[in-house]
Amino acid sequence: MLHHATHSPPTQPAPDEGTEARYLPDPLRHEATDAPQWFRRAGLDEPTVGEVEHEGARIRYLRWPGGPGPATLLVHGGSAHAHWWSPLAPLLRSQGPVVAMDLSGHGLSDWRPDGYTVAQWAREVRAVALATSTAPPVVIAHSMGGIVSAHLAVTAGDTMGRLVVVDSPVWDSAPAPEGEIAARANAPTRYHADPEVPISRFRLIPRQECSNNWYMRHIAWHGLTATAQGYRWRFDPQIFAGNDGGADAGNRIARFEGSLSDSTCPYAVVMGEDSYLTPQAVEVFGAASRSPAAVSRHGRTPLALVPSAGHHVLLDQPLALVAAVRGVLAAWR
């Protein structure tokens, strides 16, 4: 359960946002006394909302201004949203703007009535990259976002200048997370008059504990939308459904079906040291320094481990993640 200050929630939820492109303003943003100063300062750096129409859906993104150079494009994981990255976005500025996107079925972007595929999500990343960057951007992608971006790297890698996958199962033998994530596709939608109820019940997938309650509350709050029936989670439960509804339903957001050795752009890997994926990642990518061709046609694959972090590296060790990303990007210079 999250521990935070209390406030009086609205007596009636706001009308459904529908086509309104905004996240709910957080009434406790400036009251997060347990949050570190850098986190509260980052909250003052407000992004603008943009959108691109792609294959019948509005794909929206948050944008922090920067210089004239290539953008840094941030991609979230499954059932997440752009605000997972917003505290770190100002710290990841380089030559150009920073953009955190919402894949379809997530955040502010449209839901797709015909379902979702990794290939389609990858094309959305490409569309946002083309719309927001003066040159192929650095793409930093967590978990399922890494699977999506890895797919783009092997199908249209010229779209990206560099790819950094963060605790993402981007090799064919990667273990699936514990628990049946596909079952969530059929879970009923629950509405709450008080937003603090779903926030207090918020849990990470894959399951893990996180001691940074201020970051947990941030992503939980922005994961909610207000409707006439009450507050509900923003993501479309059908993102968890398999393409064919078979026994492997849901695995498409839990592992990568391609091979990063076919990537046409350089890539790096950042893992939480305590992640369930890390033992295999070290076996796979640790071999890159001894046999580069086994992993990447671009030579040694930079691999960084973030101490005291599980799969959700952003939440466990946010500043250490920023340092690790900067380190692997510097390795290419």
Side-chain angles (χ1 to χ4, degrees):
M1 180 179 294
L2 301 179
H3 301 285
H4 47 74
T6 59
H7 74 288
S8 298
T11 55
Q12 293 293 331
D16 198 343
E17 292 179 23
T19 59
E20 189 176 6
R22 70 182 185 94
Y23 279 96
L24 297 176
D26 187 351
L28 296 184
R29 188 180 67 173
H30 302 297
E31 300 177 29
T33 56
D34 59 335
Q37 185 177 7
W38 70 264
F39 181 88
R40 285 180 276 140
R41 187 166 54 245
L44 301 176
D45 199 342
E46 298 254 356
T48 57
V49 177
E51 71 176 55
V52 59
E53 184 88 13
H54 186 70
E55 297 181 11
R58 289 164 299 188
I59 308 302
R60 294 188 170 116
Y61 53 84
L62 305 180
R63 184 183 184 277
W64 290 260
T72 298
L73 177 56
L74 309 174
V75 188
H76 60 75
S79 75
H81 49 79
H83 267 298
W84 276 60
W85 285 107
S86 63
L88 302 185
L91 305 179
L92 290 168
R93 279 194 183 99
S94 181
Q95 305 172 56
V98 178
V99 176
M101 68 176 292
D102 284 320
L103 299 169
S104 60
H106 298 77
L108 300 181
S109 292
D110 286 347
W111 292 10
R112 293 189 181 275
D114 296 328
Y116 306 90
T117 67
V118 167
Q120 189 171 59
W121 280 327
R123 292 193 296 270
E124 293 171 8
V125 174
R126 182 178 186 273
V128 172
L130 292 173
T132 60
S133 188
T134 57
V138 171
V139 176
I140 306 171
H142 176 238
S143 192
M144 186 197 81
I147 296 174
V148 170
S149 300
H151 182 91
L152 183 60
V154 302
T155 56
D158 59 333
T159 303
M160 297 184 284
R162 299 285 188 271
L163 170 63
V164 181
V165 292
V166 179
D167 220 90
S168 184
V170 287
W171 59 97
D172 56 6
S173 61
E178 294 182 4
E180 181 49 69
I181 59 175
R184 289 183 161 267
N186 300 316
T189 300
R190 292 186 171 88
Y191 296 90
H192 305 271
D194 183 352
E196 298 300 332
V197 173
I199 287 175
S200 70
R201 297 174 181 173
F202 178 72
R203 298 294 182 270
L204 296 170
I205 304 174
R207 292 293 182 96
Q208 72 167 69
E209 296 300 317
C210 176
S211 60
N212 291 333
N213 288 328
W214 36 274
Y215 212 137
M216 287 278 283
R217 188 189 189 283
H218 165 82
I219 63 172
W221 174 267
H222 288 295
L224 291 173
T225 186
T227 76
Q229 293 78 35
Y231 292 88
R232 62 161 174 80
W233 297 115
R234 283 185 177 275
F235 66 86
D236 182 355
Q238 290 305 305
I239 63 172
F240 292 105
N243 292 332
D244 58 5
D248 290 332
N251 281 344
R252 64 195 176 85
I253 75 169
R255 59 169 59 94
F256 179 48
E257 295 180 352
S259 173
L260 266 178
S261 63
D262 296 326
S263 171
T264 54
C265 75
Y267 59 88
V269 179
V270 177
M271 306 295 295
E273 193 172 52
D274 301 328
S275 170
Y276 74 98
L277 292 167
T278 295
Q280 275 201 14
V282 171
E283 291 180 13
V284 173
F285 297 106
S289 59
R290 297 190 296 274
S291 178
V295 176
S296 171
R297 62 177 57 167
H298 301 284
R300 181 178 180 272
T301 298
L303 170 65
L305 302 184
V306 178
S308 303
H311 174 67
H312 301 284
V313 192
L314 296 75
L315 312 182
D316 292 328
Q317 297 293 337
L319 295 184
L321 172 61
V322 170
V325 168
R326 288 173 175 167
V328 296
L329 291 175
W332 278 313
R333 294 173 185 163

